[in-house]
Amino acid sequence: MNSIQDIWNGIMAILSGKLTTTSINTWFADCVPIDLHDGTLVIHTSTPFKRDILHSRFEEEIKDALREMFSCDFDLLILAGDELEDYRREQEDKKKAELSLPEMDGYTFENFIVGKSNEYAYAAAQGVVKNPGSKVYNPLFIYGNSGLGKTHLLCAIGTAIHEANPDAKIAFVKGDDFTNQMVRSIKEGTADEFRQKYRGVDLFLVDDIQFIAGKEATQEEFFHTFNSIYEAGHQIVITSDRPPIDMLRLDDRLRTRFEGGMMADVQPPDVETRMAIIRNKAGHLGMQLSDDIVAYIAQKITANVRQIEGVINRLTAVREITGDEITRDKVDVAIGVVIRDGVYVPTPETIIAETARYFQVTADDVKGVSRQKNIVTARHITSYLIRNLTNLSLPGIGAFLNRDHATVLASIRKIENQIKTDKKLADTIRDITSNINSRQ
Ligand code: ADP
Ligand code: MG
């Protein structure tokens, strides 16, 4: 792509063939090109007076020059004097809005506790920020189990690059959203726009890529997206719950690409790191825990930072309600609520929401009466997952889904039987479970 200065030079070359040197010197000498986007050329001049003249006498010439260069029509926005500052601020806010994903908040390098388990991934992430697009770190592929800080690091990279370079075009997408967006764009006849959306970015952040494995059309599209970003020398960062070699249904050519840059794993944190994380999280929530309690939590929860956070959130709530000191007993109770068999217990609402999202239907559809095939499947799977991931009884599950316990039981049995022979269903359930586990 031409830089904005190149484009402006092109316009001036065309205009100097049509206007006198005096005109050019008088009206264009202090014009500075600012931006060309969404079909609008933005330029800046020193005074409102000059702006008026440019509009009245030269606007058509400038637009003609653009048409000559790009064979399409553009609008012209001329800023005068200190309007430039406001303009830049507005653009900045717009970019932030584009970037401001729910998860980006607080997911910064400063809030990331570094220990042996993640120092390599942390250093690689910082390497990307210092030198985006460098061959050494491109792509950066961060992998590891759920709840160990992959999304946090991915967002920290996005935030840091945005701060260093507010003009950088940054895209963040989850692997399954990439699939869904692609499918929808094909249905709606907007496949070209979908392609452009990601191919032109400076920084491409892809969270949980494992979901595209085995989905042929998505992998194909992702391959082309990857190549065009990579070949432009732009940076790609990918996270996954496993290394490429263990993504069994991944296209070989994608595997080769993923392994072609830097791979960094995140491991469960050691006890010192866990204690530091606990202190840090409690501190953020305005709660001071005794050394004994910090050590106790660190000893009890070993495999997953998200679970540590869940327990601390719970303790904050307990303290707010009872106002009491946090004791070991209270920690045990909080752990009992948040974790079952070493696994985080999601809420039924989360399970319904994630299953609905996977099938691209709404939570109300799942709870409603429609007999549409994908809604019915989503409903069966929801019953099955709530049964397997929470402590709820059949009538309890029924209450969430507006069903009686016999209907819930029938749904669960159906899935239990089908899953034995239907590999695709088993994968779907594994993917949804993994989505549920990667939410708070
Ligand atoms: P993943 O994407 O690997 O499943 P996340 O990045 O979502 O995990 O992390 C889960 C939660 O734990 C997030 O709230 C994150 O901020 C926190 N977390 C993970 N690792 C760390 C760390 N090293 N320091 C501070 N917080 C962490
Ligand atoms: Mg994640």
Side-chain angles (χ1 to χ4, degrees), residues 79-109:
L79 305 165
D82 52 14
E83 284 170 4
L84 182 58
E85 251 167 58
D86 289 344
Y87 174 81
R88 291 233 198 263
R89 206 168 307 123
E90 265 167 38
Q91 293 306 109
E92 173 88 349
D93 289 349
K94 249 192 227 161
K95 285 239 171 67
K96 274 206 194 111
E98 275 165 28
L99 230 174
S100 83
L101 306 135
E103 289 161 321
M104 284 247 180
D105 274 348
Y107 281 8
T108 58
F109 284 117

mmCIF file of all heavy atoms in Angstrom, residues 79-109:
data_model
loop_
_atom_site.group_PDB
_atom_site.id
_atom_site.type_symbol
_atom_site.label_atom_id
_atom_site.label_comp_id
_atom_site.label_asym_id
_atom_site.label_seq_id
_atom_site.Cartn_x
_atom_site.Cartn_y
_atom_site.Cartn_z
ATOM 1 N N LEU A 79 -8.814 19.936 7.450
ATOM 2 C CA LEU A 79 -8.751 20.439 8.826
ATOM 3 C C LEU A 79 -7.928 21.706 8.819
ATOM 4 O O LEU A 79 -6.970 21.832 8.053
ATOM 5 C CB LEU A 79 -8.068 19.415 9.728
ATOM 6 C CG LEU A 79 -8.670 18.003 9.717
ATOM 7 C CD1 LEU A 79 -7.689 17.016 10.339
ATOM 8 C CD2 LEU A 79 -9.997 18.002 10.468
ATOM 9 N N ALA A 80 -8.302 22.654 9.685
ATOM 10 C CA ALA A 80 -7.532 23.898 9.740
ATOM 11 C C ALA A 80 -7.050 24.132 11.169
ATOM 12 O O ALA A 80 -7.756 23.806 12.127
ATOM 13 C CB ALA A 80 -8.395 25.057 9.275
ATOM 14 N N GLY A 81 -5.846 24.680 11.278
ATOM 15 C CA GLY A 81 -5.310 25.072 12.593
ATOM 16 C C GLY A 81 -5.315 23.927 13.583
ATOM 17 O O GLY A 81 -4.903 22.814 13.265
ATOM 18 N N ASP A 82 -5.857 24.218 14.785
ATOM 19 C CA ASP A 82 -5.745 23.192 15.836
ATOM 20 C C ASP A 82 -6.832 22.110 15.767
ATOM 21 O O ASP A 82 -6.957 21.289 16.673
ATOM 22 C CB ASP A 82 -5.717 23.850 17.228
ATOM 23 C CG ASP A 82 -6.880 24.790 17.418
ATOM 24 O OD1 ASP A 82 -7.815 24.709 16.600
ATOM 25 O OD2 ASP A 82 -6.853 25.588 18.376
ATOM 26 N N GLU A 83 -7.603 22.088 14.698
ATOM 27 C CA GLU A 83 -8.581 20.998 14.547
ATOM 28 C C GLU A 83 -7.903 19.632 14.419
ATOM 29 O O GLU A 83 -8.518 18.599 14.677
ATOM 30 C CB GLU A 83 -9.440 21.222 13.295
ATOM 31 C CG GLU A 83 -10.492 22.289 13.465
ATOM 32 C CD GLU A 83 -11.166 22.648 12.135
ATOM 33 O OE1 GLU A 83 -10.861 22.003 11.095
ATOM 34 O OE2 GLU A 83 -11.963 23.575 12.147
ATOM 35 N N LEU A 84 -6.644 19.702 14.035
ATOM 36 C CA LEU A 84 -5.924 18.447 13.836
ATOM 37 C C LEU A 84 -5.855 17.634 15.126
ATOM 38 O O LEU A 84 -6.019 16.415 15.121
ATOM 39 C CB LEU A 84 -4.515 18.737 13.319
ATOM 40 C CG LEU A 84 -3.655 17.509 13.014
ATOM 41 C CD1 LEU A 84 -4.316 16.613 11.993
ATOM 42 C CD2 LEU A 84 -2.268 17.940 12.506
ATOM 43 N N GLU A 85 -5.629 18.355 16.222
ATOM 44 C CA GLU A 85 -5.520 17.655 17.503
ATOM 45 C C GLU A 85 -6.805 16.897 17.824
ATOM 46 O O GLU A 85 -6.756 15.741 18.215
ATOM 47 C CB GLU A 85 -5.275 18.663 18.624
ATOM 48 C CG GLU A 85 -3.879 18.603 19.182
ATOM 49 C CD GLU A 85 -3.612 19.805 20.043
ATOM 50 O OE1 GLU A 85 -4.369 19.999 21.014
ATOM 51 O OE2 GLU A 85 -2.681 20.563 19.721
ATOM 52 N N ASP A 86 -7.953 17.572 17.659
ATOM 53 C CA ASP A 86 -9.239 16.924 17.937
ATOM 54 C C ASP A 86 -9.431 15.713 17.039
ATOM 55 O O ASP A 86 -9.892 14.665 17.473
ATOM 56 C CB ASP A 86 -10.407 17.894 17.674
ATOM 57 C CG ASP A 86 -10.439 18.984 18.725
ATOM 58 O OD1 ASP A 86 -9.782 18.798 19.772
ATOM 59 O OD2 ASP A 86 -11.095 20.016 18.484
ATOM 60 N N TYR A 87 -9.056 15.915 15.778
ATOM 61 C CA TYR A 87 -9.218 14.834 14.821
ATOM 62 C C TYR A 87 -8.427 13.602 15.276
ATOM 63 O O TYR A 87 -8.924 12.493 15.315
ATOM 64 C CB TYR A 87 -8.761 15.274 13.435
ATOM 65 C CG TYR A 87 -8.763 14.161 12.419
ATOM 66 C CD1 TYR A 87 -9.951 13.782 11.792
ATOM 67 C CD2 TYR A 87 -7.598 13.474 12.113
ATOM 68 C CE1 TYR A 87 -9.960 12.738 10.874
ATOM 69 C CE2 TYR A 87 -7.594 12.434 11.192
ATOM 70 C CZ TYR A 87 -8.782 12.079 10.583
ATOM 71 O OH TYR A 87 -8.796 11.038 9.680
ATOM 72 N N ARG A 88 -7.166 13.855 15.637
ATOM 73 C CA ARG A 88 -6.309 12.740 16.057
ATOM 74 C C ARG A 88 -6.881 12.055 17.299
ATOM 75 O O ARG A 88 -6.854 10.837 17.414
ATOM 76 C CB ARG A 88 -4.896 13.235 16.372
ATOM 77 C CG ARG A 88 -4.130 13.684 15.155
ATOM 78 C CD ARG A 88 -2.778 12.965 15.100
ATOM 79 N NE ARG A 88 -1.837 13.657 14.219
ATOM 80 C CZ ARG A 88 -1.630 13.316 12.956
ATOM 81 N NH1 ARG A 88 -2.306 12.331 12.416
ATOM 82 N NH2 ARG A 88 -0.756 13.984 12.235
ATOM 83 N N ARG A 89 -7.409 12.854 18.204
ATOM 84 C CA ARG A 89 -7.980 12.267 19.421
ATOM 85 C C ARG A 89 -9.189 11.382 19.075
ATOM 86 O O ARG A 89 -9.316 10.271 19.559
ATOM 87 C CB ARG A 89 -8.380 13.390 20.402
ATOM 88 C CG ARG A 89 -8.358 12.909 21.842
ATOM 89 C CD ARG A 89 -8.462 14.067 22.840
ATOM 90 N NE ARG A 89 -7.488 15.113 22.656
ATOM 91 C CZ ARG A 89 -7.784 16.397 22.465
ATOM 92 N NH1 ARG A 89 -9.044 16.791 22.424
ATOM 93 N NH2 ARG A 89 -6.824 17.296 22.331
ATOM 94 N N GLU A 90 -10.024 11.910 18.188
ATOM 95 C CA GLU A 90 -11.199 11.124 17.782
ATOM 96 C C GLU A 90 -10.789 9.783 17.168
ATOM 97 O O GLU A 90 -11.355 8.740 17.473
ATOM 98 C CB GLU A 90 -12.001 11.876 16.714
ATOM 99 C CG GLU A 90 -13.145 12.678 17.263
ATOM 100 C CD GLU A 90 -13.675 13.643 16.195
ATOM 101 O OE1 GLU A 90 -13.713 13.252 15.003
ATOM 102 O OE2 GLU A 90 -14.025 14.775 16.563
ATOM 103 N N GLN A 91 -9.789 9.857 16.279
ATOM 104 C CA GLN A 91 -9.342 8.635 15.616
ATOM 105 C C GLN A 91 -8.811 7.643 16.640
ATOM 106 O O GLN A 91 -9.058 6.457 16.575
ATOM 107 C CB GLN A 91 -8.239 8.940 14.587
ATOM 108 C CG GLN A 91 -8.696 9.732 13.411
ATOM 109 C CD GLN A 91 -9.888 9.086 12.713
ATOM 110 O OE1 GLN A 91 -10.994 9.592 12.781
ATOM 111 N NE2 GLN A 91 -9.683 7.952 12.058
ATOM 112 N N GLU A 92 -8.065 8.189 17.572
ATOM 113 C CA GLU A 92 -7.481 7.380 18.646
ATOM 114 C C GLU A 92 -8.595 6.669 19.419
ATOM 115 O O GLU A 92 -8.537 5.462 19.663
ATOM 116 C CB GLU A 92 -6.715 8.338 19.572
ATOM 117 C CG GLU A 92 -6.177 7.708 20.815
ATOM 118 C CD GLU A 92 -4.796 7.126 20.579
ATOM 119 O OE1 GLU A 92 -4.367 7.029 19.403
ATOM 120 O OE2 GLU A 92 -4.167 6.777 21.547
ATOM 121 N N ASP A 93 -9.652 7.424 19.762
ATOM 122 C CA ASP A 93 -10.765 6.825 20.511
ATOM 123 C C ASP A 93 -11.428 5.727 19.699
ATOM 124 O O ASP A 93 -11.802 4.683 20.219
ATOM 125 C CB ASP A 93 -11.810 7.892 20.879
ATOM 126 C CG ASP A 93 -11.278 8.817 21.953
ATOM 127 O OD1 ASP A 93 -10.216 8.489 22.537
ATOM 128 O OD2 ASP A 93 -11.888 9.875 22.208
ATOM 129 N N LYS A 94 -11.555 6.008 18.392
ATOM 130 C CA LYS A 94 -12.181 5.006 17.528
ATOM 131 C C LYS A 94 -11.368 3.719 17.518
ATOM 132 O O LYS A 94 -11.890 2.630 17.648
ATOM 133 C CB LYS A 94 -12.254 5.549 16.099
ATOM 134 C CG LYS A 94 -13.678 5.833 15.662
ATOM 135 C CD LYS A 94 -13.730 6.077 14.178
ATOM 136 C CE LYS A 94 -14.551 7.305 13.883
ATOM 137 N NZ LYS A 94 -14.293 7.853 12.560
ATOM 138 N N LYS A 95 -10.045 3.887 17.382
ATOM 139 C CA LYS A 95 -9.168 2.718 17.360
ATOM 140 C C LYS A 95 -9.287 1.951 18.658
ATOM 141 O O LYS A 95 -9.340 0.740 18.686
ATOM 142 C CB LYS A 95 -7.711 3.148 17.184
ATOM 143 C CG LYS A 95 -7.370 3.583 15.808
ATOM 144 C CD LYS A 95 -6.235 2.717 15.230
ATOM 145 C CE LYS A 95 -6.039 3.005 13.762
ATOM 146 N NZ LYS A 95 -5.542 4.357 13.519
ATOM 147 N N LYS A 96 -9.314 2.709 19.747
ATOM 148 C CA LYS A 96 -9.415 2.057 21.055
ATOM 149 C C LYS A 96 -10.700 1.256 21.126
ATOM 150 O O LYS A 96 -10.726 0.155 21.634
ATOM 151 C CB LYS A 96 -9.409 3.097 22.179
ATOM 152 C CG LYS A 96 -8.025 3.475 22.602
ATOM 153 C CD LYS A 96 -8.006 3.956 24.052
ATOM 154 C CE LYS A 96 -6.705 4.646 24.354
ATOM 155 N NZ LYS A 96 -6.866 6.079 24.562
ATOM 156 N N ALA A 97 -11.779 1.866 20.614
ATOM 157 C CA ALA A 97 -13.061 1.170 20.667
ATOM 158 C C ALA A 97 -12.960 -0.135 19.886
ATOM 159 O O ALA A 97 -13.459 -1.168 20.309
ATOM 160 C CB ALA A 97 -14.160 2.054 20.107
ATOM 161 N N GLU A 98 -12.263 -0.082 18.747
ATOM 162 C CA GLU A 98 -12.101 -1.305 17.964
ATOM 163 C C GLU A 98 -11.320 -2.349 18.746
ATOM 164 O O GLU A 98 -11.561 -3.525 18.688
ATOM 165 C CB GLU A 98 -11.328 -1.004 16.676
ATOM 166 C CG GLU A 98 -12.212 -0.519 15.554
ATOM 167 C CD GLU A 98 -11.392 0.107 14.432
ATOM 168 O OE1 GLU A 98 -10.226 -0.279 14.253
ATOM 169 O OE2 GLU A 98 -11.931 0.993 13.757
ATOM 170 N N LEU A 99 -10.330 -1.851 19.468
ATOM 171 C CA LEU A 99 -9.433 -2.735 20.187
ATOM 172 C C LEU A 99 -10.019 -3.221 21.498
ATOM 173 O O LEU A 99 -9.648 -4.260 22.007
ATOM 174 C CB LEU A 99 -8.169 -1.933 20.506
ATOM 175 C CG LEU A 99 -6.825 -2.522 20.175
ATOM 176 C CD1 LEU A 99 -5.765 -1.499 20.447
ATOM 177 C CD2 LEU A 99 -6.526 -3.779 20.911
ATOM 178 N N SER A 100 -10.922 -2.405 22.052
ATOM 179 C CA SER A 100 -11.297 -2.688 23.433
ATOM 180 C C SER A 100 -12.168 -3.929 23.511
ATOM 181 O O SER A 100 -13.376 -3.888 23.457
ATOM 182 C CB SER A 100 -12.005 -1.497 24.054
ATOM 183 O OG SER A 100 -13.343 -1.519 23.691
ATOM 184 N N LEU A 101 -11.490 -5.035 23.592
ATOM 185 C CA LEU A 101 -12.188 -6.289 23.767
ATOM 186 C C LEU A 101 -12.407 -6.446 25.252
ATOM 187 O O LEU A 101 -11.640 -5.930 26.033
ATOM 188 C CB LEU A 101 -11.281 -7.386 23.247
ATOM 189 C CG LEU A 101 -10.858 -7.069 21.840
ATOM 190 C CD1 LEU A 101 -9.398 -7.299 21.669
ATOM 191 C CD2 LEU A 101 -11.693 -7.845 20.892
ATOM 192 N N PRO A 102 -13.435 -7.157 25.602
ATOM 193 C CA PRO A 102 -13.725 -7.277 27.031
ATOM 194 C C PRO A 102 -12.503 -7.744 27.806
ATOM 195 O O PRO A 102 -12.234 -7.273 28.896
ATOM 196 C CB PRO A 102 -14.843 -8.326 27.079
ATOM 197 C CG PRO A 102 -14.925 -8.906 25.712
ATOM 198 C CD PRO A 102 -14.344 -7.920 24.778
ATOM 199 N N GLU A 103 -11.760 -8.650 27.175
ATOM 200 C CA GLU A 103 -10.667 -9.261 27.929
ATOM 201 C C GLU A 103 -9.427 -8.392 28.020
ATOM 202 O O GLU A 103 -8.532 -8.669 28.792
ATOM 203 C CB GLU A 103 -10.293 -10.586 27.280
ATOM 204 C CG GLU A 103 -11.356 -11.636 27.478
ATOM 205 C CD GLU A 103 -11.229 -12.757 26.490
ATOM 206 O OE1 GLU A 103 -10.919 -12.485 25.320
ATOM 207 O OE2 GLU A 103 -11.444 -13.898 26.891
ATOM 208 N N MET A 104 -9.352 -7.370 27.185
ATOM 209 C CA MET A 104 -8.123 -6.595 27.165
ATOM 210 C C MET A 104 -7.915 -5.817 28.456
ATOM 211 O O MET A 104 -6.813 -5.481 28.821
ATOM 212 C CB MET A 104 -8.140 -5.618 26.001
ATOM 213 C CG MET A 104 -7.874 -6.298 24.691
ATOM 214 S SD MET A 104 -6.308 -5.780 24.020
ATOM 215 C CE MET A 104 -6.231 -6.690 22.505
ATOM 216 N N ASP A 105 -9.029 -5.526 29.126
ATOM 217 C CA ASP A 105 -8.932 -4.713 30.331
ATOM 218 C C ASP A 105 -8.058 -5.364 31.388
ATOM 219 O O ASP A 105 -8.350 -6.450 31.844
ATOM 220 C CB ASP A 105 -10.331 -4.507 30.925
ATOM 221 C CG ASP A 105 -11.004 -3.325 30.292
ATOM 222 O OD1 ASP A 105 -10.297 -2.582 29.597
ATOM 223 O OD2 ASP A 105 -12.218 -3.174 30.487
ATOM 224 N N GLY A 106 -7.012 -4.681 31.754
ATOM 225 C CA GLY A 106 -6.179 -5.193 32.841
ATOM 226 C C GLY A 106 -5.244 -6.316 32.421
ATOM 227 O O GLY A 106 -4.406 -6.753 33.195
ATOM 228 N N TYR A 107 -5.398 -6.784 31.176
ATOM 229 C CA TYR A 107 -4.490 -7.833 30.715
ATOM 230 C C TYR A 107 -3.236 -7.176 30.140
ATOM 231 O O TYR A 107 -3.045 -7.145 28.939
ATOM 232 C CB TYR A 107 -5.172 -8.701 29.659
ATOM 233 C CG TYR A 107 -6.130 -9.739 30.229
ATOM 234 C CD1 TYR A 107 -6.459 -9.755 31.576
ATOM 235 C CD2 TYR A 107 -6.682 -10.706 29.408
ATOM 236 C CE1 TYR A 107 -7.318 -10.711 32.090
ATOM 237 C CE2 TYR A 107 -7.552 -11.671 29.916
ATOM 238 C CZ TYR A 107 -7.869 -11.664 31.247
ATOM 239 O OH TYR A 107 -8.713 -12.611 31.745
ATOM 240 N N THR A 108 -2.413 -6.671 31.041
ATOM 241 C CA THR A 108 -1.211 -5.958 30.613
ATOM 242 C C THR A 108 0.026 -6.706 31.102
ATOM 243 O O THR A 108 -0.072 -7.595 31.951
ATOM 244 C CB THR A 108 -1.184 -4.548 31.223
ATOM 245 O OG1 THR A 108 -1.234 -4.693 32.654
ATOM 246 C CG2 THR A 108 -2.371 -3.721 30.771
ATOM 247 N N PHE A 109 1.186 -6.287 30.584
ATOM 248 C CA PHE A 109 2.436 -6.891 31.059
ATOM 249 C C PHE A 109 2.649 -6.586 32.540
ATOM 250 O O PHE A 109 3.127 -7.421 33.288
ATOM 251 C CB PHE A 109 3.620 -6.376 30.241
ATOM 252 C CG PHE A 109 3.705 -6.998 28.882
ATOM 253 C CD1 PHE A 109 3.583 -6.232 27.739
ATOM 254 C CD2 PHE A 109 3.912 -8.371 28.748
ATOM 255 C CE1 PHE A 109 3.659 -6.810 26.478
ATOM 256 C CE2 PHE A 109 3.990 -8.964 27.495
ATOM 257 C CZ PHE A 109 3.862 -8.180 26.357
#
